[in-house]
Amino acid sequence: MTTTVDPFAREHLPPLALWPELIFDLPELQYPAELNCVAELLDAHAARGDGDRVAIIDGERSLTYAELLSLTNQMANVLVSKLGIAPGNRVLLRGFNSAIFAATWLAVVKIGAIAVATMPLLRARDLLPVVEKAKVRFALCDHRLTDELAAVTTEHPALDSVLRFGGGGPLDLEVLAAAQPTTFDTFRTAADDTCLIAFTSGTTGQPKGTMHFHRDVLAICDLFPRSTLRATRDDRFIGSPPLAFTFGLGALLLFPLRLGATAILVEKPSPDVLLRAMAEHRATICSTSPTAYRAMAGLAKGFDLTALRKCVSAGEALPAGTRAAWKQATGIELIDGIGATELLHIFLSHTEEEARPGATGKPIPGYQCVILDDEGRELGPGLVGRLAVKGPTGCRYLDDDRQALYVENGWNLTGDAYLRDDDGYFHYQARTDDMIISAGYNIAGPEIESALLTHEAVAECGVVGLPDEERGQIVAAFVVLRPGYAPDASTTRLLQDHVKQTIAPYKYPRRIIFKEAFPRTESGKLQRFKLRESL
């Protein structure tokens, strides 16, 4: 039974009939009815005598578990006594990957409130629908990001309590927290109380708010990191996804805290900065996007990465060429994975030993995956259909009619087109709305992207279907060239011929559009709808 004061989240969950089927058939998923995930992620380590272990490294600063707990408790005291935040209230969080931002997230959840983290570079027009949808009154914001938030408060006056952090001013959160007690009684929440609302990254337009419970947070920590990643308390986690992105929240904060390991947080992790931090802090596990691995592969030889032992790729499809380039540069086989904001983290992946080029992998323990046709019938091996998933986490949109589109007969429909081979490996084809049907052929854009990326002229590429009277659609490739190549007809023919020689010739891009840069979400995902709109 929930004890939250503000019932907003529970009242705005979708009807139970529209929920996916949830499966808790593993021993590690048997959680008590009363559960606050921060008590397990943070308080438990000090209680076990592990308070002296390093929890977070942030540049030159490091915090032990005992120090992080004290800071989190001090912040929690400020949020309750100074701001009056009550259990169930939504709190907007804006900040870069840092120890102080991590502590604000932990403090919000510890007091029974709901964290609504947002990407640092979102503008006021992006933040406004989030604030309005989640009915946010409170915000904690990095002092460098307050301008856009100020514009939101003008449009949404109900957001009337904004507290800065990181600037060291007399009214900043960390200064107020320093005067507070280092103890705080963690609020006793129910396992199925909402603790975070994560908004989708907007690859297809208007983002949706996904609601996740305290037990969901622990479930993602107790599955992929243990069964597939096989991480330990001695690992040092690093990567580039923002903590506001559920990939980053899990990989760079929740997973290490659950294990009693160390999180290395890098504020602005460009490829060279991330590599430098890996070498300096002896990182052992890296999580980032295929785009970042491709960029880092060419720079890796200049850094000491001998401590690095595992690398996770997620956020978008992993091209076989990127996998090969990273392995050649570092000797490490990438662990590919697909997750979704709606399911909180990775549900389909593989170990290094089970890696197959071009295959994402198999369902991780705790999840089930099938391929469905348009009528909801399960398809056999070799047939392309809709990826459907069940497990301990699943889609619960905040007051959104699109819930009925994402959940069908208990299955979460991720929007990805996949096929399963005879050995049970799942192979990504495209987003279901990105499959290209040209002259009767079904063509998967990522296959063409993988072919283009094997040419030395191509730095980045994105493939979409464009309307065509004769063929229905044609394959169009947007390409960012490497230095030394001209965006002209000669290069176009060069790349078209390369694709014809690499994969089935009918799949070649009949149109190539050269770009200087690509539209991406802040989590790094390519926004193909913006590519289409640019023509």
Side-chain angles (χ1 to χ4, degrees):
M1 176 66 69
T2 182
T3 55
T4 55
V5 175
D6 184 343
F8 171 85
R10 197 164 288 273
E11 291 176 352
H12 288 81
L13 286 165
L16 274 172
L18 295 180
W19 284 31
E21 179 185 350
L22 298 174
I23 302 171
F24 302 93
D25 56 0
L26 296 180
E28 55 265 45
L29 297 175
Q30 307 309 306
Y31 302 113
E34 183 180 286
L35 173 70
N36 186 305
C37 64
V38 174
E40 299 299 319
L41 295 170
L42 187 55
D43 301 54
H45 298 295
R48 284 195 293 264
D50 287 337
D52 290 338
R53 291 180 63 82
V54 176
I56 294 177
I57 295 173
D58 174 3
E60 299 302 317
R61 177 189 189 189
S62 65
L63 291 176
T64 65
Y65 275 89
E67 290 168 337
L68 180 60
L69 176 58
S70 293
L71 176 60
T72 299
N73 286 341
Q74 289 177 309
M75 287 185 174
N77 281 305
V78 172
L79 302 186
V80 172
S81 65
K82 302 296 184 183
L83 269 67
I85 299 176
N89 288 163
R90 281 75 56 215
V91 183
L92 191 78
L93 300 176
R94 290 184 52 67
F96 302 98
N97 285 10
S98 65
I100 190 169
F101 184 59
T104 64
W105 191 95
L106 293 165
V108 167
V109 177
K110 189 181 183 75
I111 67 174
I114 299 171
V116 186
T118 57
M119 303 291 186
L121 296 183
L122 293 186
R123 300 298 186 186
R125 71 173 189 175
D126 305 308
L127 294 169
L128 188 59
V130 171
V131 170
E132 291 178 339
K133 188 82 170 181
K135 299 294 186 289
V136 175
R137 282 188 52 214
F138 304 94
L140 306 178
C141 183
D142 186 290
H143 69 105
R144 294 163 292 179
L145 299 173
T146 54
D147 288 349
E148 295 296 331
L149 196 57
V152 174
T153 59
T154 301
E155 294 290 327
H156 190 82
L159 178 60
D160 57 5
S161 186
V162 177
L163 190 60
R164 305 190 333 164
F165 61 81
L171 297 179
D172 277 17
L173 174 58
E174 70 274 18
V175 176
L176 297 175
Q180 295 293 316
T182 58
T183 58
F184 183 89
D185 291 332
T186 302
F187 190 79
R188 296 169 60 182
T189 47
D192 62 352
D193 277 336
T194 299
C195 68
L196 71 98
I197 300 174
F199 279 80
T200 56
S201 54
T203 57
T204 57
Q206 188 69 17
K208 303 171 283 286
T210 64
M211 308 173 74
H212 296 291
F213 299 159
H214 285 267
R215 72 181 182 212
D216 300 340
V217 168
L218 294 190
I220 64 167
C221 295
D222 292 339
L223 294 178
F224 174 74
R226 298 182 189 273
S227 65
T228 306
L229 186 58
R230 297 173 295 183
T232 75
R233 70 200 300 262
D234 295 322
D235 276 311
R236 292 182 158 214
F237 292 72
I238 197 170
S240 65
L243 295 181
F245 181 29
T246 55
F247 177 31
L249 179 66
L252 304 183
L253 183 64
L254 302 180
F255 294 175
L257 292 188
R258 181 60 163 164
L259 293 166
T262 300
I264 303 166
L265 299 179
V266 183
E267 184 173 290
K268 296 180 180 179
S270 61
D272 60 326
V273 170
L274 187 58
L275 285 165
R276 190 175 303 113
M278 282 187 208
E280 179 182 352
H281 299 297
R282 306 292 291 167
T284 62
I285 296 177
C286 178
S287 297
T288 189
S289 67
T291 302
Y293 281 118
R294 183 171 178 84
M296 290 194 299
L299 304 172
K301 64 182 180 181
F303 298 88
D304 178 6
L305 303 181
T306 52
L308 195 63
R309 68 187 194 93
K310 291 176 182 284
C311 295
V312 179
S313 173
E316 57 187 350
L318 173 63
T322 300
R323 178 190 289 280
W326 184 251
K327 187 170 184 179
Q328 182 177 8
T330 64
I332 297 175
E333 186 74 67
L334 284 171
I335 297 173
D336 194 11
I338 181 175
T341 309
E342 289 83 356
L343 285 103
L344 194 53
H345 218 273
I346 291 171
F347 52 79
L348 184 67
S349 186
H350 59 76
T351 63
E352 305 97 302
E353 298 85 358
E354 297 170 329
R356 288 189 180 183
T360 306
K362 298 179 180 180
I364 67 170
Y367 286 91
Q368 302 172 10
C369 298
V370 296
I371 308 298
L372 301 178
D373 67 12
D374 290 340
E375 282 71 48
R377 296 179 296 240
E378 186 173 345
L379 295 174
L383 298 174
V384 178
R386 301 177 297 164
L387 179 64
V389 187
K390 287 180 184 177
T393 62
C395 179
R396 290 179 296 263
Y397 285 140
L398 169 63
D399 192 22
D400 200 306
D401 292 340
R402 290 172 287 186
Q403 176 76 20
L405 300 177
Y406 200 92
V407 177
E408 182 179 298
N409 296 324
W411 291 99
N412 297 277
L413 299 176
T414 67
D416 299 290
Y418 263 81
L419 66 81
R420 177 173 54 85
D421 66 22
D422 291 330
D423 295 325
Y425 282 79
F426 285 71
H427 297 252
Y428 179 74
Q429 304 299 298
R431 293 290 294 173
T432 51
D433 53 1
D434 282 332
M435 285 296 289
I436 302 166
I437 303 176
S438 182
Y441 290 103
N442 288 335
I443 302 172
E447 182 183 14
I448 304 163
E449 292 170 2
S450 292
L452 283 166
L453 285 169
T454 62
H455 196 284
E456 61 182 10
V458 178
E460 292 186 80
C461 64
V463 170
V464 302
L466 296 181
D468 181 76
E469 289 188 7
E470 181 180 344
R471 294 176 170 270
Q473 286 182 303
I474 60 168
V475 175
F478 293 80
V479 172
V480 176
L481 292 171
R482 292 189 183 280
Y485 290 88
D488 55 21
S490 176
T491 303
T492 295
R493 288 192 299 272
L494 178 70
L495 296 180
Q496 288 173 327
D497 290 342
H498 175 74
V499 173
K500 290 177 184 178
Q501 294 164 11
T502 305
I503 58 177
Y506 70 86
K507 298 179 181 180
Y508 84 94
R510 294 175 180 271
R511 185 175 178 188
I512 292 182
I513 304 98
F514 296 106
K515 303 284 263 186
E516 292 186 0
F518 280 170
R520 293 185 179 273
T521 68
E522 198 174 342
S523 61
K525 293 181 180 180
L526 178 62
Q527 294 176 305
R528 286 180 173 80
F529 75 99
K530 287 190 176 180
L531 290 180
R532 296 189 194 95
E533 291 173 354
S534 70
L535 296 179

